[in-house]
Amino acid sequence: KMLFNGIFKEGKSANGILYYEDGSKKYEGDFINNIYNGFGTLYFKGENKIFFNGVFKQGEYVSGILYNEDGRKKYEGNFLNGYYHGIGIEYLSNGNKKRKLVFKEGKVESKCYGILYDENNKEIYKGLLNDGIPEKGKSLIIYDENDYILYKGDFLNFKYNGQGILYFKRKNKM
């Protein structure tokens, strides 16, 4: 079975396709010293479905789009050591935008500027966030890590305030 097909420079891979042992694509793109470096695409094992497409630096992805196994965007932005890091957009499992904000080593930056979206991909809030919670606004949505709606309603001073609905954990996604 083929391991690598591409261009070599001074005995090392420079650009091409690296394969898993089962013959499916693993990575396609640029290399420096046999390490992913530059623009490339990483694939799920055993499938020709894209896992990540973007920029790599010394084997780590640093900027680009991370996908779910169904081919929908999961996250678009910057990374550090495999974690969301810097400005990025999270997506719901249905492919619509969830929120755009600042991450630090995989966690939402405690105080940052951000944008929240409703379940129909419509921007519903733009402003200051504290741990992902908006400062103020009407009929805003807060999702948990699995895309379930936790709260839909009004906010003031980064707290639920006014008319709203607080949900139990649900089995069905919106």
Side-chain angles (χ1 to χ4, degrees):
K1 291 184 180 175
M2 189 172 3
L3 174 64
F4 179 82
N5 182 7
I7 299 169
F8 292 85
K9 183 176 180 183
E10 298 176 7
K12 296 179 181 172
S13 53
N15 183 283
I17 303 171
L18 182 65
Y19 295 90
Y20 286 106
E21 287 181 13
D22 66 6
S24 61
K25 285 183 185 179
K26 181 175 184 177
Y27 173 81
E28 181 174 9
D30 298 327
F31 294 83
I32 293 180
N33 295 325
N34 294 326
I35 298 172
Y36 314 154
N37 215 63
F39 188 80
T41 304
L42 197 58
Y43 294 86
F44 284 102
K45 187 174 183 175
E47 306 174 25
N48 278 328
K49 293 180 181 177
I50 296 173
F51 172 73
F52 177 82
N53 187 41
V55 178
F56 290 81
K57 184 174 182 181
Q58 296 187 346
E60 298 278 338
Y61 37 90
V62 294
S63 178
I65 303 170
L66 188 64
Y67 293 89
N68 292 319
E69 285 192 55
D70 65 4
R72 293 182 180 163
K73 288 181 182 179
K74 181 176 181 178
Y75 174 81
E76 181 175 4
N78 300 308
F79 297 84
L80 180 66
N81 299 322
Y83 293 107
Y84 304 169
H85 192 82
I87 297 172
I89 301 170
E90 277 187 308
Y91 291 84
L92 298 169
S93 57
N94 68 9
N96 288 342
K97 291 177 183 174
K98 180 177 181 178
R99 58 190 181 174
K100 179 178 182 179
L101 40 76
V102 179
F103 293 89
K104 186 174 183 180
E105 297 174 351
K107 296 183 179 168
V108 174
E109 185 72 65
S110 59
K111 291 188 180 180
C112 68
Y113 182 81
I115 301 171
L116 302 178
Y117 300 88
D118 69 11
E119 63 270 22
N120 298 313
N121 217 26
K122 181 181 171 201
E123 186 179 300
I124 56 173
Y125 178 80
K126 186 185 267 186
L128 192 58
L129 298 166
N130 189 1
D131 293 325
I133 304 295
E135 180 180 22
K136 60 184 176 180
K138 294 230 173 256
S139 300
L140 304 179
I141 298 173
I142 299 299
Y143 298 95
D144 72 2
E145 65 280 355
N146 297 312
D147 297 349
Y148 297 111
I149 295 176
L150 291 177
Y151 176 79
K152 189 173 189 177
D154 304 341
F155 289 84
L156 184 63
N157 297 323
F158 307 104
K159 295 181 181 154
Y160 308 151
N161 190 75
Q163 184 67 38
I165 302 169
L166 186 61
Y167 293 91
F168 288 104
K169 281 273 189 183
R170 296 186 303 179
K171 294 181 181 176
N172 297 323
K173 294 182 183 181
M174 293 296 296

